[in-house]
Amino acid sequence: MASLKEVAQLASVSLMTVSRAINEPQRLKPETLARVQQAIDQLNYVPDFSARKMRGKSSKVSTLGVLALDTATTPFSVELLLSIELTAREFGWSSFLVSITSQEDSERAVSQLLSQRPDGIIFTTMGLREVEIPSRLVDKNLVLANCLSREHVLPGYIPDDFNGQYQAMKMLIRKGYRHPLCFYLPESIPAGVRRRAGAEQAWQEAGLPAEQLRQFHMEPGDEHYRDVVAMLEEFFTGGKPDLDVLVCGNDRIAFLAYQVLLAKGIAIPQQVAVLGYDNMVGIGDLFLPPLTTVQLPHREIGREAVLHLIERRPNHGLITIASPVLERASL
């Protein structure tokens, strides 16, 4: 691995000039900075920020630690983690990830994270949920991303599930749908309750009969996704659907619903329209026809969480991030 001295020799500058190019580039003339950068690139030199920080020789580089409960093990939340890394990099911070693989693994993960002496910590999860914040983190420079604390009033950024479903239901009503069938996420999941409340609010504001809004919650656990098949079967009489739009708690439910409807020869959206939720990465456009869904703002949540730490924002509790409706051909 190349050294700072080798960079200085190749660029024909002093060690101090190379150091300034890395830590305070604005202090150098553009031509000098360009020469040093060319030498760094040619030698593949990697500055050792962590060692410099431990020696107390620089306070320019700050470190952000991400404690991820299930987030790194699912493709649904990859945008959140990528957004955190890219935003930290944009502002000159370094970042590292520590995964919690189970509740029992929490203490090990916290110890590993704190041993790196991060300047800020983001606690994040896959899917909005209540979490128990480890006691050793409560007094740290901590922000939540896509999760809620059960016991502490902590700063955090979460999707606006209520308004996302509210706006989606208003769109369905504007388009003339009057016989929706709703399969929400489990009641034990915060998003399931909030999305149902949003749909009900839009329905009530439109003055539509409550009995026409048929709503069900899925049972907890991935094994219950297939329940959609039997649940949907109950709303067919003589092969004809007793609904004009299916409102799905997420895109995975919509995926199963598509299979049931298309297997029965039901045209989407001519006979039954379908609305999803989440905009699962790389999936929404692959439905035939493409699925109308609500975007989970994972990218924005990750960015706001990082900026909260970098800008040292005050604790305003939980802040909701807009979840826009993405209209495609399934309506």
CSV table of all heavy atoms in Angstrom, one decimal, residues 131-156:
chain,number,residue,atom,x,y,z
A,131,VAL,N,-39.0,-0.9,18.4
A,131,VAL,CA,-37.8,-1.6,18.8
A,131,VAL,C,-37.4,-1.2,20.2
A,131,VAL,O,-37.8,-0.2,20.7
A,131,VAL,CB,-36.7,-1.3,17.9
A,131,VAL,CG1,-36.9,-1.9,16.5
A,131,VAL,CG2,-36.4,0.2,17.8
A,132,GLU,N,-36.7,-2.1,20.9
A,132,GLU,CA,-36.2,-1.8,22.2
A,132,GLU,C,-34.8,-1.3,22.0
A,132,GLU,O,-33.9,-2.0,21.5
A,132,GLU,CB,-36.2,-3.1,23.0
A,132,GLU,CG,-35.7,-2.8,24.5
A,132,GLU,CD,-35.8,-4.1,25.3
A,132,GLU,OE1,-36.5,-5.0,24.9
A,132,GLU,OE2,-35.2,-4.1,26.4
A,133,ILE,N,-34.5,0.0,22.3
A,133,ILE,CA,-33.2,0.6,22.1
A,133,ILE,C,-32.3,0.1,23.2
A,133,ILE,O,-32.6,0.3,24.4
A,133,ILE,CB,-33.3,2.1,22.1
A,133,ILE,CG1,-34.3,2.6,21.0
A,133,ILE,CG2,-31.9,2.7,21.9
A,133,ILE,CD1,-33.9,2.2,19.6
A,134,PRO,N,-31.1,-0.5,22.9
A,134,PRO,CA,-30.2,-0.9,24.0
A,134,PRO,C,-29.8,0.3,24.9
A,134,PRO,O,-29.6,1.4,24.4
A,134,PRO,CB,-29.0,-1.4,23.2
A,134,PRO,CG,-29.5,-1.8,21.9
A,134,PRO,CD,-30.7,-0.8,21.6
A,135,SER,N,-29.8,0.1,26.2
A,135,SER,CA,-29.6,1.2,27.1
A,135,SER,C,-28.3,1.9,26.9
A,135,SER,O,-28.2,3.1,27.2
A,135,SER,CB,-29.7,0.6,28.6
A,135,SER,OG,-28.7,-0.4,28.7
A,136,ARG,N,-27.3,1.2,26.4
A,136,ARG,CA,-26.0,1.9,26.2
A,136,ARG,C,-26.0,2.9,25.1
A,136,ARG,O,-25.1,3.7,24.9
A,136,ARG,CB,-24.9,0.8,26.0
A,136,ARG,CG,-24.6,0.0,27.2
A,136,ARG,CD,-23.3,-0.8,27.0
A,136,ARG,NE,-23.6,-1.9,26.1
A,136,ARG,CZ,-22.7,-2.7,25.5
A,136,ARG,NH1,-21.4,-2.4,25.6
A,136,ARG,NH2,-23.0,-3.7,24.7
A,137,LEU,N,-27.1,2.9,24.3
A,137,LEU,CA,-27.1,3.9,23.2
A,137,LEU,C,-28.0,5.1,23.5
A,137,LEU,O,-27.9,6.1,22.7
A,137,LEU,CB,-27.7,3.1,21.9
A,137,LEU,CG,-26.9,2.0,21.4
A,137,LEU,CD1,-27.7,1.4,20.2
A,137,LEU,CD2,-25.5,2.4,21.0
A,138,VAL,N,-28.8,5.0,24.5
A,138,VAL,CA,-29.8,6.1,24.7
A,138,VAL,C,-29.2,7.5,24.9
A,138,VAL,O,-29.7,8.5,24.4
A,138,VAL,CB,-30.7,5.7,25.9
A,138,VAL,CG1,-31.6,6.9,26.3
A,138,VAL,CG2,-31.5,4.5,25.6
A,139,ASP,N,-28.0,7.5,25.5
A,139,ASP,CA,-27.4,8.8,25.8
A,139,ASP,C,-26.4,9.2,24.7
A,139,ASP,O,-25.7,10.2,24.8
A,139,ASP,CB,-26.7,8.9,27.2
A,139,ASP,CG,-25.6,7.9,27.3
A,139,ASP,OD1,-25.5,6.9,26.4
A,139,ASP,OD2,-24.8,8.0,28.2
A,140,LYS,N,-26.3,8.5,23.7
A,140,LYS,CA,-25.4,8.7,22.6
A,140,LYS,C,-26.1,9.7,21.5
A,140,LYS,O,-27.2,10.0,21.6
A,140,LYS,CB,-24.9,7.4,21.9
A,140,LYS,CG,-24.2,6.5,22.9
A,140,LYS,CD,-22.9,7.1,23.4
A,140,LYS,CE,-22.1,6.1,24.1
A,140,LYS,NZ,-22.7,5.6,25.4
A,141,ASN,N,-25.2,10.1,20.6
A,141,ASN,CA,-25.7,10.9,19.5
A,141,ASN,C,-26.4,10.0,18.5
A,141,ASN,O,-25.9,9.5,17.5
A,141,ASN,CB,-24.6,11.7,18.8
A,141,ASN,CG,-25.0,12.7,17.8
A,141,ASN,OD1,-26.2,13.1,17.8
A,141,ASN,ND2,-24.2,13.0,16.8
A,142,LEU,N,-27.7,9.7,18.8
A,142,LEU,CA,-28.5,8.7,18.1
A,142,LEU,C,-29.7,9.2,17.4
A,142,LEU,O,-30.4,10.1,17.8
A,142,LEU,CB,-28.9,7.6,19.2
A,142,LEU,CG,-29.8,6.5,18.8
A,142,LEU,CD1,-29.1,5.5,17.9
A,142,LEU,CD2,-30.4,5.8,20.0
A,143,VAL,N,-30.0,8.6,16.2
A,143,VAL,CA,-31.2,8.9,15.5
A,143,VAL,C,-31.8,7.6,15.0
A,143,VAL,O,-31.0,6.7,14.6
A,143,VAL,CB,-30.9,9.9,14.3
A,143,VAL,CG1,-30.0,9.3,13.3
A,143,VAL,CG2,-32.2,10.3,13.7
A,144,LEU,N,-33.1,7.5,14.9
A,144,LEU,CA,-33.8,6.3,14.4
A,144,LEU,C,-34.1,6.5,13.0
A,144,LEU,O,-34.4,7.6,12.5
A,144,LEU,CB,-35.0,6.0,15.2
A,144,LEU,CG,-34.9,6.0,16.8
A,144,LEU,CD1,-36.2,5.6,17.4
A,144,LEU,CD2,-33.8,4.9,17.2
A,145,ALA,N,-34.1,5.4,12.2
A,145,ALA,CA,-34.5,5.4,10.8
A,145,ALA,C,-35.4,4.2,10.5
A,145,ALA,O,-34.9,3.1,10.6
A,145,ALA,CB,-33.2,5.4,9.9
A,146,ASN,N,-36.6,4.5,10.2
A,146,ASN,CA,-37.6,3.5,9.9
A,146,ASN,C,-38.0,2.6,11.1
A,146,ASN,O,-38.3,1.4,10.9
A,146,ASN,CB,-37.1,2.6,8.7
A,146,ASN,CG,-38.2,2.0,7.9
A,146,ASN,OD1,-39.2,2.6,7.7
A,146,ASN,ND2,-38.0,0.7,7.6
A,147,CYS,N,-37.9,3.2,12.3
A,147,CYS,CA,-38.4,2.4,13.4
A,147,CYS,C,-38.8,3.4,14.5
A,147,CYS,O,-38.5,4.6,14.5
A,147,CYS,CB,-37.2,1.5,13.9
A,147,CYS,SG,-35.7,2.3,14.3
A,148,LEU,N,-39.5,2.8,15.6
A,148,LEU,CA,-40.0,3.6,16.7
A,148,LEU,C,-39.4,3.0,18.0
A,148,LEU,O,-39.2,1.8,18.1
A,148,LEU,CB,-41.5,3.4,16.7
A,148,LEU,CG,-42.3,3.6,15.4
A,148,LEU,CD1,-43.7,3.1,15.6
A,148,LEU,CD2,-42.3,5.0,15.0
A,149,SER,N,-39.2,3.9,18.9
A,149,SER,CA,-38.7,3.4,20.3
A,149,SER,C,-39.9,3.2,21.2
A,149,SER,O,-40.9,3.9,21.2
A,149,SER,CB,-37.8,4.5,20.9
A,149,SER,OG,-37.5,4.1,22.2
A,150,ARG,N,-39.9,2.1,21.9
A,150,ARG,CA,-41.0,1.7,22.8
A,150,ARG,C,-41.0,2.6,24.1
A,150,ARG,O,-42.0,2.8,24.7
A,150,ARG,CB,-40.8,0.2,23.2
A,150,ARG,CG,-41.1,-0.7,22.0
A,150,ARG,CD,-40.7,-2.1,22.4
A,150,ARG,NE,-40.9,-3.1,21.4
A,150,ARG,CZ,-40.4,-4.3,21.3
A,150,ARG,NH1,-39.7,-4.8,22.3
A,150,ARG,NH2,-40.6,-5.1,20.3
A,151,GLU,N,-39.8,3.0,24.5
A,151,GLU,CA,-39.7,3.6,25.8
A,151,GLU,C,-39.1,5.0,25.8
A,151,GLU,O,-39.3,5.7,26.8
A,151,GLU,CB,-38.8,2.7,26.7
A,151,GLU,CG,-39.3,1.3,26.9
A,151,GLU,CD,-38.3,0.4,27.6
A,151,GLU,OE1,-37.1,0.8,27.8
A,151,GLU,OE2,-38.7,-0.7,28.1
A,152,HIS,N,-38.4,5.4,24.8
A,152,HIS,CA,-37.7,6.7,24.8
A,152,HIS,C,-38.2,7.6,23.7
A,152,HIS,O,-38.6,7.2,22.6
A,152,HIS,CB,-36.2,6.4,24.7
A,152,HIS,CG,-35.6,5.5,25.6
A,152,HIS,ND1,-35.4,5.8,26.9
A,152,HIS,CD2,-35.3,4.1,25.5
A,152,HIS,CE1,-34.9,4.7,27.6
A,152,HIS,NE2,-34.8,3.7,26.7
A,153,VAL,N,-38.2,8.9,24.0
A,153,VAL,CA,-38.5,9.9,23.0
A,153,VAL,C,-37.2,10.3,22.3
A,153,VAL,O,-36.4,11.1,22.8
A,153,VAL,CB,-39.1,11.2,23.7
A,153,VAL,CG1,-39.4,12.2,22.6
A,153,VAL,CG2,-40.3,10.8,24.5
A,154,LEU,N,-37.0,9.7,21.1
A,154,LEU,CA,-35.8,9.9,20.4
A,154,LEU,C,-36.1,10.5,19.0
A,154,LEU,O,-37.2,10.3,18.5
A,154,LEU,CB,-35.1,8.5,20.2
A,154,LEU,CG,-34.6,7.8,21.5
A,154,LEU,CD1,-34.2,6.4,21.2
A,154,LEU,CD2,-33.5,8.6,22.1
A,155,PRO,N,-35.1,11.2,18.4
A,155,PRO,CA,-35.3,11.7,17.1
A,155,PRO,C,-35.4,10.5,16.1
A,155,PRO,O,-34.7,9.5,16.3
A,155,PRO,CB,-34.1,12.6,16.9
A,155,PRO,CG,-33.0,12.0,17.8
A,155,PRO,CD,-33.8,11.5,19.0
A,156,GLY,N,-36.2,10.7,15.1
A,156,GLY,CA,-36.3,9.6,14.1
A,156,GLY,C,-37.0,10.0,12.9
A,156,GLY,O,-37.8,11.0,12.9
